[in-house]
Structure formats: structure tokens, C-alpha cells
Amino acid sequence: MDIAIGRELGDFLRSRRARIQPEEVGLPGHGRRRVPGLRREEVAQLAGVSVDYYIRLEQGRGPSVSDAVLDAIGRVLRLDDTEQEYLRRVARPAARRASAARRASAGGPAVQKVRRGLRLLLDTIDKAPAFVLGPRMDVLAWNGLGDAVVGFSQMAPEDRNMPRQVFLEPRARELYLDWSAVAAETVAHLRLYAGNHPQDEQLATLVGELSLGSEDFRRLWADHQVKEKTHGAKRLMHSVVGELDMPYETLTVPGEPGQMLVVYTPEPGSRTEERLKLLASWAATAAV
């Protein structure tokens, strides 16, 4: 197993077992423990595998592992569906490399083009901020209201990346009122992408840049949280119209692997909806 991939698997398993207290799984919790959570021996016992087998798996030295074993470990560590799928991928580096090779032969994740039909669709969404994210959460396209809220057109092309904006742009802590939650969600999605694209050199460069520039990113990346970006809500503070309460929906783009359409969906009749109308009018006037 590749050393880096084995380390990723081991780090993930250690971080997950650290969350589980012995009492939660019916084990005695008394006595001194060098590390928080379950010991490797306890995970092995509860999953029904040998201690040596589990240790080799956590060290990245294990053989090809079956679904049954991964499912048993996932139950012990109380993984959710997204975490379980992530475990399957990082535990099988050969399959991940084959998948990465297929993507590379078809253009790979580095190819980031938004087809004309999707750009036209963005333009028809005139009552809600919307934008398209690509691999590594690069911002590929946006509509007018999305630009008025976030300011994509004012950014240098290389800075149009959500993780860079969240962790390296000081204004982000003013824009996102729940910055800590946004930061954790951003890293969790990026970590999930990393599990699916182990050979993505641009991702490695991005993670290195963020690690050097942000202590918060280093801490969150080391926590190994994984989360799929599907829907949620953010609170933003806009310099012109004030606070915006913004639920959002994230839709995968058919035929474009790695691309997502993100649409903010303010409640009808809400204060945020009225403020977005005001912002749209202000942006149209400013553009004249």
C-alpha cells in the first residue's frame, strides 16, 4: 500500500475510534488510557477480527479487505453513510488508483469548463444567488446576484476557490457570521474529495498552501471529518444590505463529474428575500 494512502487510512481510523468512549459500547471505562477513545484491541474485538489484522489495517499494511470487515469496523466506530463510503475508498488504494486513471484518460479533474447550457441556466436564476463549484471547490461560474453577494468578479482567477476564501481571506470572518461552522464544512467536503482523488496534484498543492497559511485549516484537516455537501444554511453579513439568512441546495451537474450547482434559497417573504431584491437593484445601478 502507498505510504501516503496508508497514513490517510490510519489517521482516519484513529480519529474515529478516539470519538468513542468505552462505556458507549459496553466496555469498562475505568483505568488509565494513554489516548482517548477505544484502543485498537477493543475495536478488533468488537468488529470480530484479530488484533494483528486490525493493527496491520490501521498501519496501512493490511491486505485487500472485504466489505464485511469494513462494515463491521464502521459499525463499531459508528460511521455515518458518508464516512463508511470514505473508509471503503481509502482502504482500497488499488481501486482508487484505477478510478483516478479512468478520470485522467477522460480529461481528469483538472479540466474545469462550464458548458454553455449551464451558464444559461445560471442566468435564468435571477431571484437567488447561484454559482458552480468544480473539483477542489473552485468557483467556475456565477450569476449576477451570486456575484453581488460574494464578489467573485472582484477576485483574481486563482483566488476563486472556496477553501482559499474561507481560510486565507480575512474578509471571510466578517462575511460568514458562523465562520467556524463554514470552515469545518468546507474542510470536511475537501477531505471527502481527497478520498476519491488520491492522485490529484492540484489538490495536494491546495492543501499544502492552506496548511502553511492557516492554523485553523491544519487543525480541521487533521481531524479527518468527511461530509458531503448537499444542503444547509449560512448566515452572511453583507456590507451593503446587512445580514442575510441563506439556506442553500447543492445539486450535482449531470455529465460533469465533480461539478456542483449551489443555489441559495431565501424563504419567500423573508427579510433576506427583500434585502436580496435591494442588493440586485443596487448591483444593477452600480454596473451602469
Side-chain angles (χ1 to χ4, degrees):
M1 181 180 290
D2 180 275
I3 293 176
I5 293 174
R7 185 183 304 117
E8 183 180 353
L9 172 60
D11 288 346
F12 178 69
L13 289 172
R14 283 188 289 274
S15 71
R16 297 309 89 178
R17 62 183 171 88
R19 299 185 306 180
I20 309 298
Q21 297 306 312
E23 297 88 344
E24 297 178 52
V25 292
L27 295 174
H30 57 77
R32 298 186 62 181
R33 289 176 175 259
R34 293 183 300 168
V35 295
L38 295 177
R39 299 185 178 103
R40 292 180 296 186
E41 295 81 359
E42 292 167 338
V43 175
Q45 174 190 342
L46 293 169
V49 300
S50 73
V51 174
D52 180 67
Y53 183 94
Y54 180 80
I55 289 175
R56 286 188 290 118
L57 179 65
E58 194 169 285
Q59 291 175 342
R61 300 186 294 110
S64 178
V65 58
S66 69
D67 281 339
V69 169
L70 292 178
D71 288 345
I73 292 172
R75 284 193 296 272
V76 172
L77 300 180
R78 301 187 175 184
L79 304 184
D80 61 26
D81 291 344
T82 301
E83 291 172 323
Q84 186 66 38
E85 180 60 26
Y86 179 82
L87 175 61
R88 291 192 185 101
R89 290 185 178 277
V90 297
R92 291 168 174 160
R96 289 203 299 163
R97 284 192 291 266
S99 178
R102 288 194 297 270
R103 284 191 295 269
S105 66
V111 177
Q112 300 187 30
K113 296 181 179 179
V114 177
R115 61 177 181 256
R116 174 174 169 77
L118 186 54
R119 290 184 180 274
L120 292 174
L121 175 61
L122 274 175
D123 290 338
T124 66
I125 305 174
D126 58 358
K127 295 182 179 180
F131 49 92
V132 177
L133 295 179
R136 301 167 297 278
M137 302 180 75
D138 293 318
V139 183
L140 307 182
W142 53 86
N143 67 358
L145 199 49
D147 192 24
V149 170
V150 186
F152 297 122
S153 64
Q154 304 303 312
M155 303 175 189
E158 62 272 15
D159 291 335
R160 291 173 188 152
N161 172 272
M162 296 307 289
R164 281 195 183 97
Q165 288 300 307
V166 169
F167 289 99
L168 302 183
E169 172 54 58
R171 174 177 169 268
R173 294 176 185 264
E174 300 173 4
L175 176 63
Y176 299 111
L177 295 176
D178 300 318
W179 183 88
S180 295
V182 172
E185 176 188 88
T186 300
V187 174
H189 180 75
L190 200 63
R191 173 64 81 174
L192 181 63
Y193 176 84
N196 295 331
H197 302 82
Q199 307 301 325
D200 189 336
E201 294 182 0
Q202 292 184 56
L203 174 65
T205 299
L206 176 62
V207 170
E209 176 187 350
L210 295 171
S211 297
L212 287 173
S214 172
E215 181 180 350
D216 289 304
F217 178 84
R218 291 196 300 273
R219 173 179 53 80
L220 290 167
W221 188 254
D223 197 34
H224 279 264
Q225 297 291 335
V226 292
K227 182 179 180 181
E228 195 170 12
K229 186 180 177 67
T230 55
H231 65 280
K234 294 179 180 178
R235 293 191 306 127
L236 284 70
M237 178 60 69
H238 194 274
S239 60
V240 174
V241 296
E243 185 175 339
L244 301 169
D245 295 320
M246 305 280 264
Y248 67 85
E249 296 290 333
T250 301
L251 310 174
T252 57
V253 178
E256 300 292 347
Q259 290 190 9
M260 302 177 292
L261 173 63
V262 181
V263 183
Y264 287 119
T265 55
E267 289 292 332
S270 66
R271 181 180 62 177
T272 292
E273 184 184 51
E274 292 303 314
R275 289 181 175 181
L276 285 175
K277 291 178 181 178
L278 177 62
L279 182 59
S281 176
W282 172 85
T285 301
V288 175

